[in-house]
Amino acid sequence: MLAHSFASASVALVGTLSILALVMIYPRVWWETLSTALILGLILMFLPLIETLPDFAPAQNQSMVVAWILFGTVFGSIFLWLGLNWLPDTVREIPYGLAQWTSRICYDMPADKAFQILKTTPDSDDGYYKVGPAGVDGVFSVSMTTNTVNPQTYEPEIEELHYKCRIEQEGEYSQIISVFFMVEDEANVDVERLSIQANGSAAICETRTVRSRRSYYEDLGFWLQDYGGDHLYGRLARTDGQGAAALNTLPYVSPLVGLARFFERFNDNPPNPSDGST
């Protein structure tokens, strides 16, 4: 009984430290952290059964059985973890999820200044969003930079995303825009509403996005990491000259990318780090 308690406590401690390390080293990759927690939870759940397996082997073979059980548990967990981390490529294609995303933050800044920073303005450039002039139909192009990973070199890089917008309605501290974008040659339209309210010397910033594409996978990530609030905070802090970093401003690094970069060292013809992405 004491040995079982010690083993369970040891696995729980290692699991907790592993999850904390993932959150600190890879703060942007929530799925890898979630899958790690799931694997460690399964090990703890089945640990009493795993510990009893050597008892069914002959006494002279129990040492070997213990070794094989440890080997199977470790490598089985690794392969299950890898499998879970490739699962999002499948589940994100399931067209179900929330119809609207809502984000809300409070930032220490006057409401009028926060609105000027966060609203979409044609023919402007804040170093992060480059917005073109509006055409006769009111539509204008927008490009934004995002941190991603080079698919050839597995090194972090900055990519530009392009889409089009049109301002549908604008008030003193509110704005509604339509966002037009393409995904796999399919046209999509999202409607985004930005509203700012004064709260003393601070501003309460809220966005509501009616989405044309849905995915439970993206919904879960949006809730866990608060994508919308993170982007609002990042834009305000960056323009306000604050040093605090939002998640979207950090380089994209993940355990899987690190593994890929490690194994690329053994490639006979590894890619040049200066190569561009495909």
Side-chain angles (χ1 to χ4, degrees), residues 264-276:
E264 274 295 337
R265 299 176 182 177
F266 304 99
N267 192 340
D268 292 335
N269 186 24
N272 190 320
S274 63
D275 291 344

Side-chain angles (χ1 to χ4, degrees), residues 39-266:
I39 296 298
L40 292 169
L42 288 173
I43 292 176
L44 279 172
M45 183 186 301
F46 291 104
L47 188 59
L49 175 62
I50 294 172
E51 288 182 324
T52 61
L53 291 178
D55 297 337
F56 295 96
Q60 65 272 20
N61 295 331
Q62 284 190 354
S63 297
M64 183 177 296
V65 171
V66 170
W68 277 109
I69 289 174
L70 288 174
F71 178 85
T73 301
V74 171
F75 281 89
S77 300
I78 291 174
F79 281 108
L80 181 57
W81 181 79
L82 290 172
L84 287 174
N85 286 334
W86 271 297
L87 184 63
D89 293 334
T90 301
V91 298
R92 65 164 47 99
E93 300 300 328
I94 301 176
Y96 298 101
L98 297 176
Q100 178 176 279
W101 278 353
T102 302
S103 298
R104 185 183 178 94
I105 69 167
C106 183
Y107 194 86
D108 188 15
M109 175 183 288
D112 57 344
K113 183 178 179 181
F115 181 66
Q116 291 301 318
I117 294 173
L118 295 177
K119 74 173 185 175
T120 301
T121 305
D123 201 14
S124 63
D125 184 354
D126 64 2
Y128 186 73
Y129 286 89
K130 297 179 181 179
V131 186
V136 293
D137 56 357
V139 177
F140 48 90
S141 61
V142 181
S143 66
M144 61 170 290
T145 59
T146 182
N147 291 312
T148 183
V149 62
N150 188 303
Q152 289 184 333
T153 64
Y154 303 108
E155 296 290 338
E157 71 174 11
I158 297 177
E159 180 183 5
E160 276 199 356
L161 301 179
H162 302 272
Y163 53 93
K164 294 183 180 295
C165 286
R166 182 174 60 218
I167 299 175
E168 306 293 352
Q169 183 179 327
E170 186 169 318
E172 183 180 9
Y173 293 138
S174 66
Q175 184 184 63
I176 299 176
I177 63 172
S178 294
V179 180
F180 310 93
F181 59 99
M182 301 289 292
V183 178
E184 298 178 350
D185 297 326
E186 178 184 348
N188 296 267
V189 182
D190 287 357
V191 179
E192 298 182 0
R193 183 182 188 276
L194 167 69
S195 61
I196 310 294
Q197 293 181 353
N199 183 25
S201 61
I204 298 176
C205 311
E206 181 182 84
T207 57
R208 295 179 180 268
T209 303
V210 179
R211 306 167 58 218
S212 55
R213 294 178 65 87
R214 304 183 187 182
S215 167
Y216 283 131
Y217 169 79
E218 293 179 354
D219 290 343
L220 182 58
F222 180 86
W223 175 70
L224 285 175
Q225 292 196 315
D226 189 15
Y227 289 158
D230 186 68
H231 277 269
L232 289 173
Y233 176 80
R235 292 187 66 181
L236 292 172
R238 186 167 40 246
T239 307
D240 199 30
Q242 300 296 323
L247 290 180
N248 69 84
T249 65
L250 301 177
Y252 186 89
V253 291
S254 78
L256 288 179
V257 171
L259 283 173
R261 190 180 300 122
F262 172 78
F263 285 112
E264 274 295 337
R265 299 176 182 177
F266 304 99

Side-chain angles (χ1 to χ4, degrees), residues 15-26:
T16 302
L17 292 177
S18 300
I19 294 170
L20 288 175
L22 280 173
V23 171
M24 294 177 65
I25 300 173
Y26 306 105

